């Protein structure tokens, strides 16, 4: 288990490298990865079950300890990113499926990667985990409702079908994970260090599958979509940080809010786009997965060093 833990830590620390590498491989050898596409929802369910295993009742108690901070971050999560996505879709006059895909990933909750990035940035990890937990639990209602509100002018959106999908691939696996953790806490604690490896493999597989089935479209419109995805992520991080300052949060909380707002559960975006729109609509989520696993670690490393320097100066 120690060896597996070390492999898992290595995979987690080099996440961005694997996402970029396998996205490139799936462009060159699409046949080797396209077969994964029908299993994206199952993969995401496994990742969400793993997330449930890592959650404890203390994570939800964190909401009671800092309810205002959590509420503000969750509200920002579900307003900033959908609005920015809608604005970018209009400004860049995106084709219908791509516009819907950008908006869909904007309407998704935060992903577990945001918790890791907040930790590396020396931000308030407890706040980050609480916000991810709350935004994920709210996702079955808010993600379909916001997607219907912002994307229906481009494509028909069935909020009811999307609600059922999110319950099946997000809520049920997380609840099962929490129950298993409560019933078998000793066994789970022993195996929990291997979970980052499961998440890395799952997200890399999802991104690779989406890139493989959309190879031709990515080669023709990839630069446009990637530009929009980068802007979406960077604006989310910046606006989240500015609102943290506006509400006079301390620096650790500002970092947590910024990362929570800017980083999305892009795996969920891919799964929902494949199930409810079209393969090309999943491309923004896949490219978001590639990009935010580059921007996240860069920002986290910079912030982590800056915080360490401030501590040295204070000493």
């Amino acid at each position: 288990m120690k060896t597996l833990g070390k492999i898992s830590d290595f995979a987690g620390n080099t996440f961005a490298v694997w996402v970029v590498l396998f996205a490139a491989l799936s462009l060159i050898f699409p046949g080797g990865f396209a077969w994964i596409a029908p299993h994206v929802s199952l993969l995401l369910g496994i990742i969400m079950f793993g997330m449930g295993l890592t959650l404890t009742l203390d994570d939800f108690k964190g909401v009671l300890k800092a309810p205002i901070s959590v509420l503000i971050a969750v509200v920002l999560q579900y307003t900033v990113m959908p609005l920015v996505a809608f604005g970018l879709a209009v400004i860049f006059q995106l084709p219908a499926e791509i516009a819907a895909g950008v908006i869909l990933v904007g309407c998704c909750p935060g992903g577990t990667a945001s918790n890791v990035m907040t930790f590396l940035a020396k931000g308030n990890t407890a706040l980050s985990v609480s916000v991810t937990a709350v935004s994920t639990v709210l996702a079955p209602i808010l993600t379909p409702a916001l997607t219907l509100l912002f994307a229906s002018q481009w494509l028909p959106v069935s909020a009811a079908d999307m609600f059922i999908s999110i319950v099946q691939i997000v809520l049920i696996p997380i609840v099962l994970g929490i129950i298993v953790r409560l019933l078998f806490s000793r066994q789970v604690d022993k195996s929990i260090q291997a979970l980052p490896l499961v998440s890395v493999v799952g997200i890399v597989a999802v991104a690779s599958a989406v890139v493989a089935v959309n190879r031709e479209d990515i080669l023709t419109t990839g630069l446009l979509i990637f530009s929009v995805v980068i802007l979406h992520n960077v604006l989310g991080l910046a606006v989240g940080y500015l609102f943290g300052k506006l509400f006079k949060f301390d620096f650790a909380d500002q970092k947590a809010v910024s990362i929570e707002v800017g980083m999305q559960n892009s795996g969920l975006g891919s799964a929902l786009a494949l199930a409810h729109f079209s393969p090309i609509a999943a491309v923004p989520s896949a490219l978001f997965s590639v990009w935010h696993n580059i921007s996240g670690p860069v920002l986290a490393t910079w912030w982590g060093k800056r915080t360490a320097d401030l501590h040295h100066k204070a000493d």
Side-chain angles (χ1 to χ4, degrees):
M1 189 52 78
K2 273 188 180 176
T3 308
L4 193 58
K6 283 179 183 173
I7 294 168
S8 187
D9 286 343
F10 175 74
N13 293 333
T14 53
F15 196 1
V17 176
W18 301 115
V19 175
V20 174
L21 175 64
F22 278 90
L25 285 171
S26 58
L27 270 180
I28 301 163
F29 310 109
F33 299 92
W35 62 272
I36 303 168
H39 311 292
V40 163
S41 293
L42 175 64
L43 279 168
L44 195 68
I46 293 167
I47 293 165
M48 290 295 118
F49 176 73
M51 180 183 169
L53 287 177
T54 65
L55 289 173
T56 64
L57 294 176
D58 284 342
D59 295 326
F60 291 95
K61 283 179 190 167
V63 179
L64 301 174
K65 287 176 187 169
I68 303 300
S69 301
V70 173
L71 176 65
I72 288 169
V74 171
V75 169
L76 290 172
Q77 169 82 59
Y78 280 119
T79 52
V80 172
M81 291 304 266
L83 285 167
V84 170
F86 180 79
L88 290 171
V90 172
I91 291 164
F92 284 89
Q93 298 181 318
L94 297 176
E97 276 105 342
I98 295 168
V102 170
I103 288 166
L104 179 56
V105 75
C107 296
C108 283
T112 48
S114 61
N115 308 149
V116 180
M117 297 311 156
T118 302
F119 174 76
L120 294 174
K122 296 183 169 59
N124 186 341
T125 309
L127 174 62
S128 175
V129 170
S130 295
V131 173
T132 300
V134 173
S135 68
T136 302
V137 168
L138 293 173
I141 302 291
L142 292 180
T143 298
L146 290 167
T147 305
L148 177 64
L149 177 66
F150 289 111
S152 54
Q153 74 180 68
W154 283 281
L155 286 180
V157 177
S158 173
D161 290 348
M162 210 177 274
F163 168 81
I164 293 164
S165 289
I166 300 173
V167 169
Q168 288 172 339
I169 61 182
V170 175
L171 212 55
I172 291 172
I174 283 178
V175 171
L176 286 174
I178 292 169
I179 292 168
V180 169
R181 173 83 185 253
L182 286 170
L183 295 175
F184 308 102
S185 57
R186 195 178 299 168
Q187 291 91 326
V188 169
D189 286 341
K190 284 180 184 173
S191 60
I192 213 160
Q193 63 204 63
L195 286 175
L197 181 61
V198 175
S199 290
V200 170
V201 171
I203 292 295
V204 167
V206 169
S208 302
V210 172
V211 170
V213 295
N214 290 289
R215 182 178 182 272
E216 302 309 317
D217 289 310
I218 287 171
L219 291 175
T220 54
T221 61
L223 194 60
L224 169 67
I225 305 174
F226 204 50
S227 303
V228 170
V229 162
I230 290 171
L231 275 172
H232 194 192
N233 173 240
V234 170
L235 286 168
L237 291 165
V239 174
Y241 180 71
L242 289 172
F243 268 104
K245 268 186 148 0
L246 185 70
F247 287 108
K248 295 186 166 53
F249 288 173
D250 65 28
F251 189 35
D253 287 8
Q254 287 170 18
K255 288 185 281 189
V257 171
S258 170
I259 292 168
E260 276 303 313
V261 173
M263 292 186 73
Q264 303 297 89
N265 188 335
S266 49
L268 176 60
S270 296
L272 293 174
L274 288 170
H276 300 284
F277 295 142
S278 63
I280 184 69
V283 172
S285 290
L287 293 182
F288 203 104
S289 191
V290 173
W291 170 251
H292 83 188
N293 284 302
I294 298 168
S295 67
V298 168
L299 183 62
T301 305
W302 181 68
W303 264 340
K305 282 182 178 169
R306 196 175 150 203
T307 304
D309 290 344
L310 287 171
H311 282 312
H312 284 311
K313 281 177 185 174
D315 293 341

